Amino acid sequence: MAFFLIAILLVLVVLSALVPQKDVAQDRILDWEEFLGDGYVVIEKTGLDQIYSSPLFFLVLGLLAINLAAGNLKRIKLVFRAEKPLVKARHLGMIIFHLALLLIIAGVILNYLFRFHGVFGLTEGQTARDTEQKYFRIFAGPLYPGQFGRFAIELAGVDPVYETAGARTAAAEITLRPAIQETPITDTILINHPLAWRGLEFHFGSKTGLSPEVLVTDTSGQQIFRSFVRLSTRRVEDRTLSSDFVIIPSKNLKINVEVQSADEAIDSAVFVVAVEQAHVIVYQGTLTPVDTVAFGGLRLTIPRLRRWCYVDVVENQFLNLVFIGFWTALAGLVIGFVPRLISRRKQ
Amino acid sequence: MNTLESLMYWATTLLLAGGFFLALVSIVFGKSRPFSIARLLVFLAFICLTVFGITRWVRTAHPPFVTLFESMTVSVWFVLLMFHGLRARLPQTSILLLPVSAITFLLMGWSSSLPQEASPLSVALTNTWLFIHASFATGGAAAFLIGASFSVVYLIGRARLESLQKTFAVLPDYNLLPKSILNFLIFGLILWGVMIVSGSIWAHVAWGRYWAWDPIELWSLISWLLYGLLLHTRLTFRLPQRLFCWLTILAALTVTFSLWGVQYVYETIHSYG
């Protein structure tokens, strides 16, 4: 039984390594769509691009867990039947090891069902409440109870060259304001150093960059559009591109903003701006903060320049099962292997 | 690399090349003396690589697991450690010298084509889990490679192995080779499993997610499942031993790909250094 279950699991995982999966490899999905054209529909209809969330995947995992549990029942008999204490200990070690595997599988499945992972995209100085609409993206398990309104989060600042343990990285200073009247909590978060608060963890997100404020006015100074854009970095062929765009429907405008300086230094930032009106480029050129450019009766300026970053809010209620499983598995191995070594020495 | 590191690194590579050549000569021509010299050369290679690792660790102030080059040389060290440990306990396993010297020499050759400079530690790596996770990864890979080496010896064949009996005073019992292969595969499977789980715990601490189906995570899981399946085919379905040996050698290639090949094909956040 275990053989067939592992074989099915292996086939599923190998398929998922070949076919890019949704929410995991979005860039590769676009490549595949381009390559296969209409043929990509076959992949979507067969669910080959969503293997990890398919019922078959979870069925196989569940059956493997049952198989492991049944296997352990057999091993318990071996413990009682063994006469030598060392042999007993060896079987006991293997039972503990397999129970630990069960704990790990249970932890993984329960985490998947009840998990909450929300991503905030915040610009320095911005505050967002813990409501479903304020998250940039939410990955929630099917059984997540949907608790919101727990806090408000403010991004006080982003340091792109934070130094820690001899290494440089980006870090964010956040302030949490609990829903009820309580003292706010301020902390610096970075890779390896999340802020833990009431079962939630606040991790420094996977992306950060410059956030220029785009202000569009007419010639009389009347404001038409004002908002921070978030320039996110991605690889395009051989160069790194940090860009974003805004759309102003009332004027049929699309404004592309790209940072020109490679190091994204805030003091020397120069932006390449391209303005399209009804798909026709009406302005293209460089722009530094506070400068103003004019086109077609409108003025464009960047009055303020800040940084932005993602903050990941994670709730893994059952992750402790995986931790406990890991250490229990190691304990099982020690209990199982030490008697083996002792018995060999005695021989 | 400083002068001492460079010296030790190239000494290791040359000693392994010499060891492999002499072991091959010894087995092809049935002479015992070249084999004794080969054994000495491979032991000296282990000493040189140990000195190389310690020197680099002291100089960079972090364990040498950070770059692809370091990961490869540490794996070679683990393979040699297991081989010499095994040989000290069971002298008849000396015959493994031929496949072990070939594998380790190939890995050293591969590593020589990589950037050899030490990389500053990225923040994600400034964590105790680096030591735990990477030790189990390289240790697990070494166990699988030793298992594959036993398979190579088995595939030499009983007749050929018995004909070598005249040359070598002690040779492994041909009937016990399958058990040795199984033992190393089980050992490797356990180490690799611990590596996967410790990696997921570390990923949770570092990035806030314990599993993201990143290509390296995925291929590590594929290798683990493949070995699990292989063990079941042998233990439950009594797969013919020769076929099993060929499959263990193929499976060792997936481990090699998981550790060092994935980043040539996929974009991964597990990039070294």
Side-chain angles (χ1 to χ4, degrees):
Chain A
M1 181 67 174
F3 171 82
F4 294 108
L5 293 172
I6 297 173
I8 296 169
L9 201 59
L10 183 63
V11 170
L12 290 175
V13 176
V14 169
L15 277 174
S16 75
L18 301 174
V19 182
Q21 301 294 297
K22 273 188 181 165
D23 293 335
V24 176
Q26 203 58 44
D27 292 348
R28 281 182 61 218
I29 283 184
L30 294 176
D31 291 343
W32 273 59
E33 278 177 339
E34 201 176 315
F35 179 69
L36 293 175
D38 292 341
Y40 193 78
V41 178
V42 179
I43 288 178
E44 280 184 320
K45 287 207 167 157
T46 49
L48 278 174
D49 59 346
Q50 292 188 73
I51 287 173
Y52 309 136
S53 51
S54 68
L56 176 65
F57 192 75
F58 279 91
L59 180 71
V60 173
L61 274 185
L63 289 174
L64 257 178
I66 293 168
N67 188 274
L68 267 173
N72 263 348
L73 288 177
K74 279 187 193 169
R75 284 189 192 90
I76 289 171
K77 282 183 196 165
L78 291 175
V79 176
F80 286 111
R81 280 183 196 159
E83 287 174 5
K84 293 178 182 172
L86 288 179
V87 178
K88 260 186 202 293
R90 205 173 73 199
H91 288 307
L92 191 67
M94 284 302 100
I95 288 176
I96 293 171
F97 178 73
H98 283 85
L99 280 175
L101 289 185
L102 262 179
L103 267 182
I104 291 168
I105 291 179
V108 167
I109 292 178
L110 288 170
N111 256 314
Y112 173 80
L113 294 174
F114 291 94
R115 75 184 167 148
F116 173 78
H117 180 176
V119 183
F120 281 117
L122 297 170
T123 299
E124 285 171 329
Q126 188 184 351
T127 301
R129 292 207 68 79
D130 171 38
T131 58
E132 208 169 344
Q133 297 76 25
K134 289 289 177 188
Y135 283 96
F136 166 68
R137 199 179 286 159
I138 288 178
F139 307 96
L143 298 182
Y144 180 70
Q147 292 166 333
F148 290 101
R150 297 160 287 190
F151 59 87
I153 180 170
E154 183 194 346
L155 180 65
V158 177
D159 184 351
V161 285
Y162 185 86
E163 291 215 9
T164 175
R168 271 188 170 188
T169 186
E173 191 183 317
I174 56 167
T175 300
L176 278 189
R177 299 179 203 286
I180 34 177
Q181 205 63 37
E182 286 179 61
T183 319
I185 304 147
T186 299
D187 201 0
T188 301
I189 55 169
L190 60 149
I191 290 171
N192 279 337
H193 295 282
L195 163 64
W197 178 78
R198 292 185 188 165
L200 295 174
E201 282 184 5
F202 297 80
H203 287 262
F204 185 75
S206 53
K207 278 192 174 177
T208 177
L210 289 180
S211 184
E213 187 179 31
V214 174
L215 172 65
V216 179
T217 55
D218 59 19
T219 43
S220 66
Q222 179 74 33
Q223 181 179 311
I224 291 166
F225 178 85
R226 184 173 199 147
S227 179
F228 282 99
V229 293
R230 296 188 187 120
L231 307 189
S232 65
T233 305
R234 63 183 191 282
R235 293 283 303 167
V236 177
E237 291 171 354
D238 286 339
R239 71 190 192 109
T240 306
L241 192 72
S242 198
S243 65
D244 196 14
F245 63 86
V246 289
I247 289 175
I248 307 169
S250 61
K251 298 284 176 188
N252 204 4
L253 278 182
K254 183 184 178 191
I255 303 172
N256 293 289
V257 184
E258 184 186 328
V259 70
Q260 200 178 38
S261 42
D263 61 351
E264 292 197 349
I266 208 156
D267 299 331
S268 57
V270 178
F271 299 95
V272 178
V273 178
V275 184
E276 292 175 34
Q277 194 159 32
H279 303 295
V280 176
I281 293 183
V282 291
Y283 174 80
Q284 194 163 23
T286 56
L287 184 64
T288 51
V290 190
D291 282 353
T292 302
V293 292
F295 52 88
L298 296 172
R299 287 170 189 277
L300 168 67
T301 184
I302 294 177
R304 289 183 292 179
L305 180 55
R306 292 182 178 168
R307 292 188 184 278
W308 73 277
C309 74
Y310 283 142
V311 175
D312 291 15
V313 184
V314 180
E315 187 177 8
N316 284 322
Q317 294 174 34
F318 296 95
L319 197 73
N320 279 340
L321 286 180
V322 179
F323 281 76
I324 295 166
F326 174 74
W327 293 113
T328 313
L330 285 186
L333 287 176
V334 172
I335 295 168
F337 271 91
V338 170
R340 212 180 163 108
L341 294 175
I342 295 169
S343 63
R344 278 204 181 157
R345 252 189 204 176
K346 278 188 177 172
Q347 282 168 13
Chain B
M1 280 202 287
N2 65 23
T3 315
L4 180 60
E5 276 173 42
S6 191
L7 195 70
M8 289 297 120
Y9 173 77
W10 286 108
T12 306
T13 311
L14 292 175
L15 286 166
L16 287 173
F20 170 65
F21 177 72
L22 289 176
L24 193 66
V25 165
S26 167
I27 285 168
V28 171
F29 296 104
K31 305 274 183 202
S32 64
R33 185 130 183 93
F35 198 83
S36 306
I37 301 171
R39 229 166 29 201
L40 180 68
L41 292 186
V42 172
F43 182 70
L44 287 174
F46 175 65
I47 301 289
C48 287
L49 197 58
T50 309
V51 175
F52 165 81
I54 293 169
T55 315
R56 200 172 172 92
W57 191 332
V58 170
R59 182 171 67 85
T60 59
H62 59 71
F65 293 129
V66 174
T67 64
L68 187 59
F69 168 76
E70 288 171 348
S71 157
M72 223 171 258
T73 48
V74 167
S75 295
V76 168
W77 185 82
F78 266 109
V79 172
L80 293 176
L81 175 75
M82 278 186 199
F83 167 67
H84 290 301
L86 196 66
R87 205 171 60 80
R89 263 182 100 85
L90 305 162
Q92 61 268 38
T93 56
S94 288
I95 190 78
L96 285 180
L97 185 70
L98 181 71
V100 162
S101 58
I103 291 168
T104 50
F105 173 60
L106 281 174
L107 286 176
M108 290 301 282
W110 185 356
S111 73
S112 71
S113 70
L114 300 167
Q116 295 171 5
E117 280 315 306
S119 170
L121 222 51
S122 70
V123 173
L125 299 176
T126 55
N127 198 307
T128 321
W129 287 102
L130 164 69
F131 190 76
I132 300 170
H133 176 66
S135 301
F136 278 104
T138 44
F144 288 137
L145 290 174
I146 293 278
S149 302
F150 269 112
S151 292
V152 171
V153 173
Y154 186 88
L155 289 171
I156 290 174
R158 185 190 294 271
R160 180 80 187 140
L161 215 57
E162 279 171 0
S163 74
L164 290 171
Q165 200 78 48
K166 294 170 203 159
T167 314
F168 303 103
V170 278
L171 273 177
D173 183 346
Y174 194 74
N175 296 323
L176 289 180
L177 280 174
K179 198 179 172 207
S180 302
I181 298 171
L182 274 181
N183 281 345
F184 270 92
L185 294 199
I186 292 170
F187 185 47
L189 192 76
I190 290 168
L191 295 183
W192 201 254
V194 173
M195 177 275 282
I196 291 174
V197 181
S198 63
S200 71
I201 292 173
W202 180 15
H204 171 74
V205 176
W207 299 311
R209 92 289 182 289
Y210 58 92
W211 191 263
W213 298 106
D214 180 72
I216 284 199
E217 295 171 356
L218 195 57
W219 278 97
S220 301
L221 183 66
I222 288 173
S223 304
W224 194 74
L225 289 172
L226 189 63
Y227 274 103
L229 201 66
L230 263 180
L231 287 170
H232 274 88
T233 53
R234 181 67 195 142
L235 295 171
T236 317
F237 297 102
R238 301 278 161 208
L239 190 75
Q241 186 61 40
R242 286 188 75 81
L243 176 61
F244 178 69
C245 286
W246 280 113
L247 290 175
T248 54
I249 294 168
L250 281 177
L253 292 179
T254 67
V255 167
T256 311
F257 181 70
S258 303
L259 266 184
W260 308 301
V262 166
Q263 56 193 320
Y264 289 96
V265 182
Y266 297 89
E267 271 192 30
T268 165
I269 50 167
H270 280 78
S271 56
Y272 290 90

